Amino acid sequence: MAYQSSIHSGDKQRKQPGLHAVVAVEDLTPTAYILRFEREGMDFEPGQHILLGEAGRSQMREYSIYSGKEDPYLEVLVREVKDGLVSRRLRKLRPGMMLKVEPPVGFFTLPFQRLPHDRFLFIASGTGIAPFHSFLRSYDDLDYTLVHGIRYSNERFGLESYDPERYITCTSRDEQGHYQGRLTTWLQQQAVEDIAMVYLCGNYGMILEAMDILRTKGIRENQMHAEVYF
Amino acid sequence: MKYHLITLGCQMNVSDSERVKTILEDKLGYQWTDDEQEAGLLGILACSVRQKAIDKVYSRIHAWNKQKNKRHLITFVSGCILAQDKERFLKLFDLVFSMRELPQLPEMLSQYGIANPAGLQAIGYGASEMPGMGPFWNITPHYESRFEAYIPIQNGCDKFCTFCAVPYTRGREVSRPSEEILAEVQSLVEQGYRSITLLGQNVNSYGLDKKGAELRFPELLQAIGEIGRQSGQDFWTYFTSPHPRDMGDDVIDVIAAYPVLAKQLHLPIQSGDDEVLVRMNRKHNTERYRQIVSKIRSTLPNATLFTDIIVGFTGETDAQFANTMKAMEEFRYHMAYIAMYSPRPGAASSRWADDIPHDVKKERYHVLSSRLAEISHDHLQEMIGKTYKVLVRGKDRKAGYLSGMTEGRIVLRFPSEDEQLIGQFVVVTIDNAADFSAEGKLAETPQVIEHV
């Protein structure tokens, strides 16, 4: 057995930096859940992501922060991946169990200096709504439209945090959304002239298709910011 | 006691190895041997960029462990190691440590063999639980060369390119204090070093992790430029590698302002296709890249431009590869390090199907490399008849010749057997060019010297 200079065991875990206790695992759908854990003083910019995993295990994954900048805890919105090495185990964690969390990073953040009348278009698919949820829990002065592409209406994650007048759902498998069909089909039918910035988060295919549509509508490259969920 | 160290991978590992040698030789009294068989301490600085490099680690340790039946031998591994490999290495090597822990190596070696609780805990830990990089950076390295040196300015990466595992092996970006970097530069300049390369995974995000409490990268370059100006010494300062996302005009402007900042840029593009760049999570597109190159060409018209390209990335279509060919045509690189894509364990893309057949990757590699060779040849043809300052780096493979490089890292050779010239600047007039190197003759009298 090799010599190694750090120890993890029992109560010592709680005292080590980078370890955060689980507060709750909140099931949302059969494949999505919120993982809530102690903040331990960690600061972040809404839109950033963290690398996290179960303490004592080697596998870690990146997750966008779902909670707001002033919330007393940290949350991530997790899609359970079939045969995934991390997402399935995280769902089984119980309050008090420890997570290993690396500091927040990433550039999918709002500009520091926003003009008062800047309008934002937020485009999300599935759990890609997480950074927008964090934006909207953190800033109450945003002029935005949030479009969410989901399969079923029970995937309207964090519904209570959005202004009902500004939140548009596109559901592909039920008729409960504002628009029944694909998000990109909805987007093709919209005018976007007065949009200052577009933020896109979700799967690769949706983002590329949406960017192509936005370009045809006159949105320039430097107006678009994308965070791809892989 | 003698030791042997195998260094795999990039310049960062080479630089790390210079500090490992300081600990082994100066603190512990070990002596280097080229012969593994006579070494009592065998180590590897691992690289996780490709599976092949990790396979080499497993191959060496199995060979070394067989020798343990016959002689006393201690083995160690460090470098870029994924958590899952680390767990396996703990069972195979006597010592497993990160570079941050290098200053504790004497203690680890003295405790090796004594049963202790730490030794019984074979569990990985995250970067935030490790000691800081400060003590490691404070180790004075045993520079491999007496005229070329690497200086680490940063450790880790926050970019999470999907093809790369560095964020998982080296952790988050941490900038080394600028006063230490500048002191090391000053010391090297005083010792007469001719080439200094600043190292980091994303050098141009240097200082950003300190949120205003540290110099930014262009300010660091400016401070080095001032060291050059005040010293009156002649040297070239390079950096690798920058990320297009953080490459501002100010970096290019400061390079233009100081002669000791080399007019050579390595700007990885990875792909010339915007969709592939999104899938690679590169955070820049070809238009942004084009703007940077345009700024380089207008501000530093003589600068050479190098890049990195991956062909056959997961899902790359013929049309997408054709866009990379167009980028090669448009940016006319002096050199490109082209790699056929292979999944890197631990990186996000390793979870996707590696769906481009090997033959297709090979063909794309061949087509792109051939075009690069032609473009490089064109660049070198333009050098014929001109005279350049050259840093002599050693004997050439061709008998009776020495080889060196220009400020733009163009490799050339010239007839001379005067080994006293190695490590010196000379002036060479180019009279012949091949695909990636040129040939010339020492200029007998000072002439108009072309830059780069």
Side-chain angles (χ1 to χ4, degrees):
Chain A
M1 184 70 73
Y3 174 89
Q4 195 186 18
S5 63
S6 292
I7 328 171
H8 287 184
S9 64
D11 292 340
K12 286 191 174 181
Q13 287 190 340
R14 187 174 290 272
K15 293 171 188 165
Q16 290 180 358
L19 292 178
H20 298 234
V22 172
V23 173
V25 176
E26 186 182 329
D27 288 335
L28 301 177
T29 70
T31 57
Y33 61 95
I34 294 169
L35 178 61
R36 186 173 302 126
F37 46 98
E38 286 179 357
R39 188 150 175 171
E40 301 289 0
M42 184 180 278
D43 194 17
F44 68 93
E45 284 298 314
Q48 288 191 306
H49 58 87
I50 48 180
L51 195 62
L52 70 81
E54 193 180 352
R57 296 186 66 84
S58 60
Q59 298 286 347
M60 298 177 84
R61 293 284 184 271
E62 302 107 70
Y63 294 100
S64 290
I65 298 172
Y66 182 69
S67 46
K69 197 169 169 57
E70 304 303 327
D71 287 337
Y73 43 77
L74 288 169
E75 288 176 335
V76 291
L77 176 61
V78 183
R79 179 174 65 88
E80 189 174 315
V81 178
K82 191 185 171 199
D83 302 325
L85 294 173
V86 177
S87 59
R88 289 187 309 151
R89 293 189 64 93
L90 293 179
R91 192 169 204 166
K92 292 175 185 157
L93 295 179
R94 293 290 166 258
M97 295 173 86
M98 304 306 283
L99 292 169
K100 189 167 56 172
V101 183
E102 292 201 0
V105 290
F107 314 98
F108 194 69
T109 53
L110 293 178
F112 284 115
Q113 291 182 318
R114 295 190 294 276
L115 297 172
H117 303 296
D118 277 351
R119 280 203 65 214
F120 292 92
L121 175 59
F122 298 146
I123 298 177
S125 62
T127 54
I129 201 163
F132 303 124
H133 184 266
S134 183
F135 286 168
L136 297 171
R137 283 192 67 83
S138 304
Y139 309 118
D140 55 13
D141 58 343
L142 292 178
D143 185 0
Y144 71 92
T145 299
L146 170 58
V147 193
H148 193 191
I150 47 183
R151 290 172 302 167
Y152 302 101
S153 51
N154 67 349
E155 294 167 339
R156 294 177 294 180
F157 309 123
L159 180 62
E160 65 288 350
S161 297
Y162 319 127
D163 179 344
E165 300 293 315
R166 296 171 181 272
Y167 178 54
I168 297 164
T169 50
C170 303
T171 50
S172 59
R173 308 259 177 102
D174 73 21
E175 298 178 1
Q176 305 297 311
H178 298 92
Y179 176 82
Q180 194 194 345
R182 296 175 69 224
L183 183 156
T184 45
T185 313
W186 175 88
L187 188 61
Q188 272 169 335
Q189 299 163 14
Q190 306 305 310
V192 293
E193 286 89 5
D194 57 344
I195 297 293
M197 299 281 237
V198 184
Y199 283 70
L200 306 102
C201 183
N203 69 72
Y204 166 74
M206 181 281 287
I207 286 178
L208 291 180
E209 204 176 327
M211 286 174 113
D212 283 343
I213 294 166
L214 290 165
R215 283 186 198 103
T216 64
K217 291 177 179 289
I219 298 288
R220 299 185 307 277
E221 297 296 333
N222 61 5
Q223 290 177 279
M224 293 190 281
H225 299 269
E227 185 86 332
V228 182
Y229 275 18
F230 296 105
Chain B
M1 178 94 86
K2 293 189 174 174
Y3 79 98
H4 183 81
L5 177 66
I6 296 173
T7 303
L8 303 172
C10 67
Q11 298 106 316
M12 190 64 90
N13 269 10
V14 173
S15 171
D16 289 349
S17 76
E18 294 178 339
R19 282 171 165 76
V20 174
K21 286 176 182 175
T22 299
I23 294 292
L24 294 177
E25 295 180 20
D26 297 357
K27 302 277 183 196
L28 292 163
Y30 278 88
Q31 291 176 304
W32 170 264
T33 175
D34 288 327
D35 183 3
E36 284 184 18
Q37 299 299 322
E38 64 172 19
L41 178 66
L42 287 168
I44 301 184
L45 296 193
C47 165
S48 294
V49 165
R50 290 201 178 82
Q51 186 59 45
K52 204 178 271 184
I54 283 296
D55 291 345
K56 266 188 199 169
V57 178
Y58 284 107
S59 160
R60 291 320 301 149
I61 189 57
H62 285 305
W64 293 347
N65 281 340
K66 280 183 190 166
Q67 294 175 33
K68 279 192 161 183
N69 297 330
K70 300 171 192 160
R71 64 192 183 98
H72 179 66
L73 183 61
I74 298 176
T75 59
F76 72 82
V77 65
S78 186
C80 275
I81 304 172
L82 287 162
Q84 55 265 41
D85 284 317
K86 186 171 183 177
E87 287 178 1
R88 293 183 201 121
F89 289 166
L90 282 163
K91 295 170 187 159
L92 296 168
F93 285 87
D94 299 318
L95 299 170
V96 181
F97 57 90
S98 71
M99 274 301 134
R100 292 160 194 263
E101 298 170 298
L102 178 64
Q104 284 87 53
L105 181 57
E107 182 194 343
M108 291 183 218
L109 278 168
S110 68
Q111 289 187 23
Y112 171 69
I114 303 168
N116 61 71
L120 299 173
Q121 291 289 331
I123 302 171
Y125 48 81
S128 55
E129 301 160 60
M130 295 180 190
M133 288 296 292
F136 167 76
W137 280 326
N138 280 332
I139 298 168
T140 304
H142 268 215
Y143 299 111
E144 290 280 311
S145 161
R146 60 185 170 80
F147 57 91
E148 294 177 301
Y150 294 122
I151 300 183
I153 67 166
Q154 178 194 52
N155 188 64
C157 181
D158 289 352
K159 298 296 184 288
F160 289 91
C161 298
T162 53
F163 53 79
C164 178
V166 166
Y168 309 96
T169 59
R170 285 187 178 263
R172 302 288 72 75
E173 285 172 4
V174 183
S175 298
R176 184 182 182 193
S178 54
E179 61 265 31
E180 287 180 18
I181 298 167
L182 296 173
E184 193 170 345
V185 171
Q186 181 79 51
S187 167
L188 290 166
V189 171
E190 287 168 3
Q191 293 171 59
Y193 272 75
R194 299 300 192 195
S195 168
I196 293 170
T197 303
L198 309 177
L199 287 181
Q201 264 74 34
N202 293 297
V203 286
N204 44 6
S205 57
Y206 173 81
L208 300 182
D209 56 307
K210 305 296 185 209
K211 301 185 192 304
E214 182 51 274
L215 299 182
R216 294 179 307 111
F217 188 58
E219 295 166 335
L220 181 72
L221 288 178
Q222 185 174 18
I224 292 170
E226 286 299 328
I227 289 174
R229 181 172 283 171
Q230 286 162 21
S231 70
Q233 294 285 318
D234 204 2
F235 63 97
W236 291 329
T237 307
Y238 301 91
F239 54 85
T240 193
S241 55
H243 190 295
R245 191 194 175 281
D246 292 326
M247 188 72 170
D249 288 355
D250 44 5
V251 172
I252 299 160
D253 289 333
V254 78
I255 292 172
Y258 292 94
V260 299
L261 303 180
K263 279 48 181 178
Q264 185 264 353
L265 285 120
H266 185 118
L267 193 65
I269 187 170
Q270 304 299 0
S271 168
D273 183 85
D274 284 344
E275 291 197 4
V276 175
L277 288 173
V278 170
R279 198 160 169 76
M280 288 176 166
N281 198 27
R282 287 290 287 171
K283 311 285 189 198
H284 68 85
N285 56 21
T286 49
E287 182 51 34
R288 172 69 191 127
Y289 191 90
R290 184 173 292 114
Q291 289 166 2
I292 300 168
V293 174
S294 171
K295 170 68 180 170
I296 293 169
R297 295 262 153 88
S298 62
T299 308
L300 306 168
N302 296 316
T304 55
L305 184 64
F306 290 20
T307 198
D308 297 326
I309 297 175
I310 296 170
V311 296
F313 187 65
T314 300
E316 185 190 64
T317 63
D318 287 342
Q320 289 170 334
F321 172 69
N323 285 334
T324 299
M325 283 295 290
K326 282 183 195 163
M328 173 68 72
E329 212 63 58
E330 178 180 353
F331 301 123
R332 297 189 61 79
Y333 298 107
H334 294 78
M335 175 53 79
Y337 300 98
I338 302 169
M340 285 187 283
Y341 172 71
S342 65
R344 298 168 188 191
S349 71
S350 70
R351 305 198 286 272
W352 308 337
D354 180 15
D355 55 359
I356 307 299
H358 186 67
D359 287 348
V360 175
K361 288 180 189 173
K362 261 173 77 176
E363 174 65 14
R364 290 177 186 174
Y365 176 88
H366 175 72
V367 169
L368 194 61
S369 300
S370 300
R371 186 64 192 124
L372 171 68
E374 290 168 1
I375 292 169
S376 164
H377 189 82
D378 291 347
H379 284 306
L380 294 173
Q381 283 288 322
E382 291 168 11
M383 295 173 71
I384 292 175
K386 295 177 184 168
T387 301
Y388 292 84
K389 188 162 87 174
V390 171
L391 174 60
V392 185
R393 302 181 73 204
K395 291 169 75 170
D396 192 75
R397 276 180 299 182
K398 187 173 177 181
Y401 280 71
L402 294 176
S403 75
M405 66 173 190
T406 66
E407 182 179 350
R409 288 193 184 272
I410 301 296
V411 176
L412 55 79
R413 66 184 173 200
F414 57 93
S416 174
E417 294 187 342
D418 182 2
E419 293 184 25
Q420 295 293 319
L421 294 178
I422 295 171
Q424 303 297 319
F425 286 125
V426 298
V427 178
V428 174
T429 303
I430 308 296
D431 55 25
N432 194 8
D435 284 352
F436 294 108
S437 63
E439 200 169 302
K441 290 190 177 60
L442 279 173
E444 292 187 359
T445 53
Q447 303 174 29
V448 176
I449 298 172
E450 300 287 335
H451 287 285
V452 185

